[in-house]
Amino acid sequence: MKYVVFLCSFLLGNHLLHAHEVNEAFFTIKKQGDQIVVETEVPWTLRNALLAFDPKLEHATSKQEFESTFFRYIQQNLIIVDAEGNIVPLIGFKELERSGHSHQNDLILWFGGTTVAKITNTVMFNIYDDQVNYTSININEERRTFRTKKGKSVVIIDQETREHRIFFPLLAVFVLITGLLLYIKDRIPRPFFPARI
């Protein structure tokens, strides 16, 4: 019994010590009233991305300098475009209290818009070539998750949704036609050809 308790304690402790990957970030986009709200979970290495974005930040003496740099960094690296093709402006952000993990930053970003048609997410691409950003959309009936990485940093929501909606009906038509052709092939009598002498 003591081995079971030890094993459970070890596994639980190991899970709590497990850090989030430094090259992964998570974004959840929601609509609240006349704003788009983005909940973010980024690793502590965001600080390195900000320093790479603005090296003068290394000599910063105030929190406002970091906040100003972060605001400009998000404006350039998380771009939301509305249904009319306009860039939705970043209004503000707030850092949330940490809930257990000290190796991540939880933030809420506010954008002034109500629709999302396209997202460009290159957050932390400036420090990691293998950075992956997971972006979930929870607006109206739309609930989808996309991955952005170098080489595929732009997601067009309507196009992605349309491609997934079309795929399954096309697959069903293909399977139906293939099955029908196989069925007909077995039912058609083969012509009789006499053997050559």
Side-chain angles (χ1 to χ4, degrees):
M1 179 67 177
K2 66 180 179 180
Y3 294 112
V4 173
V5 172
F6 173 75
L7 182 62
C8 289
S9 299
F10 175 76
L11 292 175
L12 179 62
N14 191 30
H15 174 70
L16 292 175
L17 292 174
H18 175 71
H20 287 267
E21 297 293 331
V22 294
N23 62 337
E24 290 183 346
F26 300 88
F27 303 81
T28 302
I29 299 176
K30 301 176 180 178
K31 181 181 165 195
Q32 284 183 354
D34 60 346
Q35 292 181 341
I36 300 294
V37 176
V38 182
E39 298 171 359
T40 68
E41 183 181 309
V42 292
W44 63 270
T45 51
L46 175 65
R47 183 179 193 282
N48 298 341
L50 294 177
L51 288 168
F53 175 70
D54 186 358
K56 291 181 284 185
L57 197 60
E58 192 167 339
H59 305 292
T61 57
S62 70
K63 187 176 179 179
Q64 283 96 3
E65 290 175 273
F66 268 94
E67 289 176 349
S68 173
T69 302
F70 176 75
F71 192 87
R72 288 184 290 113
Y73 182 77
I74 291 298
Q75 279 182 316
Q76 291 184 26
N77 292 284
L78 183 60
I79 301 168
I80 298 174
V81 177
D82 67 14
E84 283 95 41
N86 302 314
I87 294 177
V88 179
L90 176 64
I91 297 172
F93 69 92
K94 175 184 173 185
E95 186 172 3
L96 300 175
E97 293 293 322
R98 292 193 174 126
S99 58
H101 298 295
S102 61
H103 49 267
Q104 73 184 42
N105 296 303
D106 296 331
L107 302 132
I108 293 186
L109 313 170
W110 288 281
F111 290 83
T114 57
T115 61
V116 177
K118 182 169 111 174
I119 302 164
T120 303
N121 189 343
T122 58
V123 173
M124 299 183 65
F125 283 17
N126 61 330
I127 59 170
Y128 294 117
D129 288 334
D130 60 346
Q131 175 70 27
V132 177
N133 293 332
Y134 297 92
T135 306
S136 298
I137 307 283
N138 293 333
I139 297 179
N140 300 330
E141 321 257 310
E142 189 71 36
R143 295 209 180 353
R144 302 280 314 262
T145 299
F146 307 98
R147 283 181 358 158
T148 56
K149 56 185 180 178
K150 283 198 174 177
K152 189 181 185 321
S153 60
V154 178
V155 174
I156 300 172
I157 306 300
D158 196 34
Q159 176 183 341
E160 293 280 340
T161 304
R162 191 178 321 116
E163 287 173 3
H164 283 81
R165 286 184 188 153
I166 290 175
F167 174 75
F168 290 110
L170 287 177
L171 180 63
V173 168
F174 174 77
V175 168
L176 183 67
I177 290 174
T178 303
L180 187 61
L181 290 174
L182 290 173
Y183 176 79
I184 291 173
K185 179 184 155 207
D186 290 340
R187 300 289 180 249
I188 296 176
R190 294 194 173 121
F192 173 76
F193 294 105
R196 291 188 180 176
I197 303 179

